[in-house]
Each structure stands twice: as structure tokens, then as C-alpha cells.
Amino acid sequence: MYDAKIIPIKLIDARATPRESGESALIHRLSNFTGVLHDALQRPMLDLRISVTDRCNLRCTYCMPREIFDKNHVFLPRPELLSLEEIARAAQIFTSLGVRKIRLTGGEPLLRRGIEKLVEKLSALRTLNGEPVEIAMTTNGVLLAAKAQALKDAGLSRITVSLDGLDQAIFARMSDSNAEVKSVLAGIAAAQRAGLSPIKVNMVVKRGVNDGEIMPMAEYFRNTGVILRFVEYMDVGSSNGWVMDEVVPAREVIDLISTRYPLHPIDANCTGEVASRWVYADGAGEIGQIASVTQVFCHECTRIRLSTDGKLYTCLFAEQSGTDLRALLRQDSSDETISDAIINSWQNRTDRYSEIRHEVPAFPRNKIEMSYIGG
Ligand code: SF4
């Protein structure tokens, strides 16, 4: 067992009062995480996102456009995927370095055989403070109805379901599939029955395609306890043909909903939360916004990503291939060696793509596909 106490890492002394030089409350808040790794911008490594498969049963145009991910697309062969045991071992090492929340993503994680077994292994992990590590999942919900109870029983804490509209034709256009909205809604209902909580629904909004679904979605999820979050369409990967004109700014969504239902902003649940939070003034529940284009949040980004084949990425918009943990895992490297690789990767991290998006040349770029490193 690798003893976290002797890790030679740069600890920021939380007892230190902000220097007279006006060290921002933000830096002080970020430095409050002792025993946790901090990157070059003093952001703690708290959240691990694991892509457990690069395959998906949908072809959402902003993530896996069919013209690129067509029938000739070569997905990762099974031996190249991290095994469930390798994922669990890597996750254990991450928690010994301060990770508190693990999110399972993909592609579509429910396509991964043995996903419940993996959840069970991960739910046995403890944080540095001895608390259970929070296990979350992001899914497109199409297979959720049949799996929700088993995931809950295995130890899944919370779930986020991607749903870009209620109108079948618009949903089919956004997902470029013949999957049915009702199967996703059945999945959400099954997750509620199973007691997964909170349940969040992420709606990516693309102007001219599904922005007309903003109000129907808001209406549908009011008074259900489900937290609907509107996601600004992002230039993830290098294949979705992103243009700024198709982005519906978060502010515009709030203004639209507020015309019918007044909203109040509320504080984040925790440092590094990606969504800004709002509640309906009439008590009908909470909505959120993930505004990576117009209200960037890189200054509080606490996320590291492990790809389906075991590479580390320190930003959703990364270009370079990251540290290869799979090689270390398969060379029977010690936990210490693997920890050192993670420490090195995070401590040298300076990513803040969303802050500089408009300063860097749009093309040519070779950003890693979101379906490979997880959203
Ligand atoms: S752009 Fe990169 S650094 Fe910024 S919030 Fe997203 S993942 Fe984090």
C-alpha cells in the first residue's frame, strides 16, 4: 500500500493567511486543500474522469459526427482498453493523491461490459479523509432503464443523463440516430426509482437546431427534482465543425426562461463545480448552466482525465497525447512510480483553453476527441 504521507509534493500551507499583496480569495480557497496535488496555477486535483469505452450507440453531431465516426471508423480493439482491474488500480492511486470524485464517461459507459462490477470496485475507495469516494456517471440514458437499480446497488452515487430535446425529430437530428426520447425518459425515471441522487440532465444547445427545445425541456423538468443543465455548444475535438454563431450564450437561456419563470442564482456546491446554479423563484427546482464558451471556469478546474486506453489528459481540449499510464500498469510498475507520473503530469499543468480560446488560431488544430477522453 503506497503511503500518501511521504509523497514529495508541493503542499500549499492552508494555514498561511493571504499575503498582504492581495492574494485572491479564490487562491486562498483553492489552497485550502492540504495533502492534495496542486497544478502550476494552484488548482487542486480533485476530480477524475475515466472514459471506459470510446464506443457509443448514438452519433451526437457535436461529439461523434457520423461522417467521421462512420462504419469504417476503427474503435480501440479490446486488448488496448484498460481492463476493469487496471482502471480500479489507477483509481486507487488517484485517490491516494487527493481525488475525491470519480466520473465514469465514454463514449457511452453503459456499453462497457462489467460496468456494474467496476462501479462496485470504485465505490470501495476512500478519500484521504477516509470518506467514500463519490462515484458518478454521465450516460446518454438509452440503456439506463435496465441498469439503474444494479448501478445503484453497486454503489453509484449520482448520474447525469445527456438529453438534447423532447421532440423526437429534433432529438434524432442532434443524436443522428433513431434512438427514442422515451427510452431516455424511462432511464431517468428508473434512476429516480432506484434512488440515484442528484439526477442531472445535460442539454447541449445548438442555435438553429434545438434551441426551440429550451422552454419545453424547462417545463418538463420543473417540479421533478431533476436538475436540468444547459450546456453551451463547444469546440471539443477536431471534427464537429464548431462555429461561434451556433453557440447560444448561457445568459440568453437564462433571460428566455426568466421571462416566464423568475430565477435566482445560488452558490456552487463545491470548488470546481462546472455548472452555475439557479433556482426557480416559485420553488419548482434547480437548473444549471455549463458555459465553457462565454463564462469560462478554467481558474477553478480540478479535473484530470484518463482515456479509454489509459492516457492522462489535463484538459478537455488537449492536443498532445498524455502520460501513458497503461504502459506503467502493464509493466508492473510500483504504485509509487505510477503516482510520480500522475504528480508530474498535474504539477506541470497550465491548461486554460477556454480562457484563451479566442486568442489561439482556430485551425489547424488536433484536439483529442471528447468521445475518447470523456466529456
Ligand atoms: S478548458 Fe480545460 S482547463 Fe478549462 S475548464 Fe475546461 S478542461 Fe478545465
Side-chain angles (χ1 to χ4, degrees):
M1 172 60 193
Y2 184 55
D3 180 348
K5 272 193 292 310
I6 58 173
I7 298 175
I9 57 175
K10 182 177 62 179
L11 270 180
I12 295 189
D13 183 347
R15 288 180 301 283
T17 56
R19 286 188 297 280
E20 299 318 307
S21 61
E23 189 170 356
S24 77
L26 168 66
I27 291 186
H28 186 65
R29 196 168 65 243
L30 291 178
S31 64
N32 255 338
F33 292 92
T34 55
V36 171
L37 282 182
H38 286 73
D39 70 10
L41 305 180
Q42 295 194 21
R43 298 167 294 187
M45 184 181 78
L46 300 175
D47 301 279
L48 169 64
R49 297 196 170 194
I50 305 175
S51 171
V52 296
T53 178
D54 60 340
R55 296 168 189 262
C56 189
N57 46 359
L58 302 182
R59 287 291 178 276
C60 300
T61 55
Y62 51 85
C63 176
M64 283 180 96
R66 193 176 290 282
E67 55 276 15
I68 308 287
F69 296 87
D70 59 11
K71 61 181 175 5
N72 304 318
H73 178 78
V74 181
F75 289 100
L76 286 166
R78 196 162 182 85
E80 291 192 26
L81 270 60
L82 286 184
S83 69
L84 302 184
E85 292 68 28
E86 288 168 334
I87 293 173
R89 181 178 172 211
Q92 188 275 316
I93 295 170
F94 274 102
T95 54
S96 75
L97 295 170
V99 160
R100 301 173 175 194
K101 189 166 84 178
I102 295 175
R103 179 171 293 278
L104 301 176
T105 69
E108 171 47 42
L110 296 183
L111 288 175
R112 179 75 191 246
R113 216 176 306 145
I115 188 75
E116 296 88 349
K117 224 171 91 210
L118 176 61
V119 169
E120 199 176 329
K121 286 175 189 291
L122 298 178
S123 64
L125 296 173
R126 290 288 174 270
T127 67
L128 287 177
N129 311 332
E131 286 143 23
V133 171
E134 215 180 339
I135 312 299
M137 179 182 286
T138 301
T139 168
N140 61 33
V142 172
L143 303 172
L144 183 57
K147 288 184 174 276
Q149 190 60 56
L151 291 167
K152 173 65 179 172
D153 297 344
L156 191 72
S157 332
R158 51 168 67 210
I159 199 151
T160 299
V161 179
S162 307
L163 177 63
D164 300 328
L166 295 170
D167 176 276
Q168 181 57 40
I170 292 175
F171 173 78
R173 195 170 158 205
M174 287 293 285
S175 66
D176 194 0
S177 78
N178 49 28
E180 296 195 324
V181 171
K182 65 174 190 251
S183 65
V184 180
L185 295 176
I188 294 168
Q192 282 186 307
R193 284 194 304 277
L196 287 165
S197 176
I199 298 172
K200 298 177 179 178
V201 167
N202 281 1
M203 174 186 176
V204 173
V205 182
K206 207 171 170 182
R207 193 182 297 286
V209 183
N210 68 335
D211 45 337
E213 289 289 286
I214 293 170
M215 285 314 295
M217 287 279 280
E219 300 271 9
Y220 184 90
F221 287 108
R222 275 169 53 81
N223 297 306
T224 62
V226 170
I227 300 170
L228 174 60
R229 296 152 6 133
F230 299 95
V231 184
E232 287 183 343
Y233 171 40
M234 294 181 280
D235 52 334
V236 287
S238 301
S239 52
N240 68 6
W242 182 85
V243 288
M244 188 63 197
D245 297 350
E246 291 180 321
V247 174
V248 177
R251 185 72 248 172
E252 193 177 316
V253 175
I254 289 293
D255 291 348
L256 173 66
I257 297 173
S258 304
T259 55
R260 198 174 304 170
Y261 304 110
L263 292 160
H264 299 308
I266 55 172
D267 290 341
N269 286 305
C270 59
T271 298
E273 182 165 29
V274 285
S276 59
R277 303 171 67 209
W278 300 76
V279 289
Y280 290 107
D282 62 5
E286 179 181 339
I287 65 168
Q289 304 226 287
I290 301 176
S292 162
V293 179
T294 65
Q295 296 168 17
V296 304
F297 39 79
C298 299
H299 58 285
E300 270 204 3
C301 180
T302 58
R303 292 170 292 284
I304 190 164
R305 291 175 165 84
L306 185 61
S307 72
T308 316
D309 57 353
K311 295 202 177 65
L312 276 188
Y313 292 91
T314 52
C315 178
L316 176 58
F317 300 91
E319 289 192 66
Q320 277 83 36
S321 171
T323 306
D324 187 350
L325 284 196
R326 185 188 64 191
L328 295 174
L329 288 161
R330 292 186 179 176
Q331 286 159 16
D332 286 336
S333 306
S334 69
D335 286 7
E336 195 155 359
T337 303
I338 295 170
S339 288
D340 289 347
I342 297 168
I343 292 168
N344 184 49
S345 172
W346 187 261
Q347 284 190 329
N348 295 302
R349 178 193 190 223
T350 56
D351 300 281
R352 54 191 191 91
Y353 174 82
S354 289
E355 284 179 5
I356 59 171
R357 168 186 280 113
H358 300 300
E359 296 160 26
V360 288
F363 299 96
R365 297 195 64 100
N366 184 26
K367 285 177 279 168
I368 302 291
E369 295 300 336
M370 183 164 74
S371 59
Y372 167 68
I373 57 172

